[in-house]
Amino acid sequence: MKRAILILCILWLQCVEKANAQNMYVASNCLDYLYLATLNAEFGINVSSNRSVYINGKYNPFSYDWGERTIQHKQASVAIGSKYWFWYVNSGWFLNSNIRYSRYNFGGIIDKYGYQGNSYSWGVGAGYALILSKKLNLDFGLGLSVGYTNYSKYMCPTCGKFIEKRKKIYVAPSDLMVQLSVMLWEIM
């Protein structure tokens, strides 16, 4: 696992073509906050006139009691990826690709069971960045992920009564985004 993360970081750094006069940005997906208050942030660097690379993290430690049932989607995840901009970085239409690792514990949302495990995925997506000002964008996007997960299934999200362990490959929508991006500065 550590070797895979190291290789991915090296590949990510290989995307940087030049290190001077590049814009950086930070962003946060508003829809993640609406989904059970998932904290999230993205940091990106524009590496050419049409490409940017980014690292994204999500964290959710919360559980909610809803009547007689508990709902939760606890997670800690990190993704690294790149975006190709058709016109110019941080403006207009883009395509993106990323790889993500997630550690999760969720349940009570779709059914009464709880699920806890790890997920490894590769995703692709597309979106549009609406320029609001010189330093502020509103990004919209949607993606699709293919991944592998190994998890344990429990009778309920919080009771700890073990049912079974499973592994599976999945295809799922991902990166549903209405994201606020702030351009930081230029490296001299």
Side-chain angles (χ1 to χ4, degrees), residues 52-92:
S52 59
V53 293
Y54 63 90
I55 186 165
N56 173 296
K58 295 181 181 186
Y59 179 68
N60 187 335
F62 308 114
S63 292
Y64 302 95
D65 291 326
W66 191 342
E68 294 181 10
R69 104 183 183 190
T70 298
I71 61 171
Q72 66 186 27
H73 192 165
K74 295 181 177 184
Q75 66 172 306
S77 77
V78 64
I80 58 173
S82 66
K83 293 179 184 175
Y84 174 80
W85 301 84
F86 288 102
W87 186 56
Y88 192 76
V89 289
N90 299 319
S91 58

Side-chain angles (χ1 to χ4, degrees), residues 104 115 118 120 147-151 166-170:
Y104 62 87
Y115 304 88
N118 297 296
Y120 310 88
Y148 167 80
T149 183
N150 57 341
Y151 62 91
R166 298 196 66 194
K167 298 176 183 179
K168 71 178 185 178
I169 295 174
Y170 63 89

Side-chain angles (χ1 to χ4, degrees), residues 16-23 46-47 186-188:
V16 179
E17 293 174 356
K18 53 184 179 176
N20 57 357
Q22 300 301 319
N23 292 323
N46 303 333
V47 295
E186 291 187 2
I187 303 171
M188 298 299 171

Side-chain angles (χ1 to χ4, degrees), residues 73 100-106 115-122 145-153 165-172:
H73 192 165
R100 178 175 301 275
Y101 166 76
S102 297
R103 176 84 175 134
Y104 62 87
N105 181 348
F106 76 90
Y115 304 88
Q116 180 175 337
N118 297 296
S119 172
Y120 310 88
S121 64
W122 171 72
S145 289
V146 176
Y148 167 80
T149 183
N150 57 341
Y151 62 91
S152 297
K153 184 176 180 180
K165 280 189 177 241
R166 298 196 66 194
K167 298 176 183 179
K168 71 178 185 178
I169 295 174
Y170 63 89
V171 176

Side-chain angles (χ1 to χ4, degrees), residues 95-144:
L95 296 175
N96 73 318
S97 176
N98 66 54
I99 52 173
R100 178 175 301 275
Y101 166 76
S102 297
R103 176 84 175 134
Y104 62 87
N105 181 348
F106 76 90
I109 299 169
I110 297 171
D111 57 25
K112 66 179 184 174
Y113 300 108
Y115 304 88
Q116 180 175 337
N118 297 296
S119 172
Y120 310 88
S121 64
W122 171 72
V124 293
Y128 185 81
L130 178 65
I131 300 171
L132 301 177
S133 71
K134 186 177 179 180
K135 297 283 185 183
L136 193 64
N137 281 3
L138 188 60
D139 303 337
F140 302 93
L142 179 63
L144 186 68

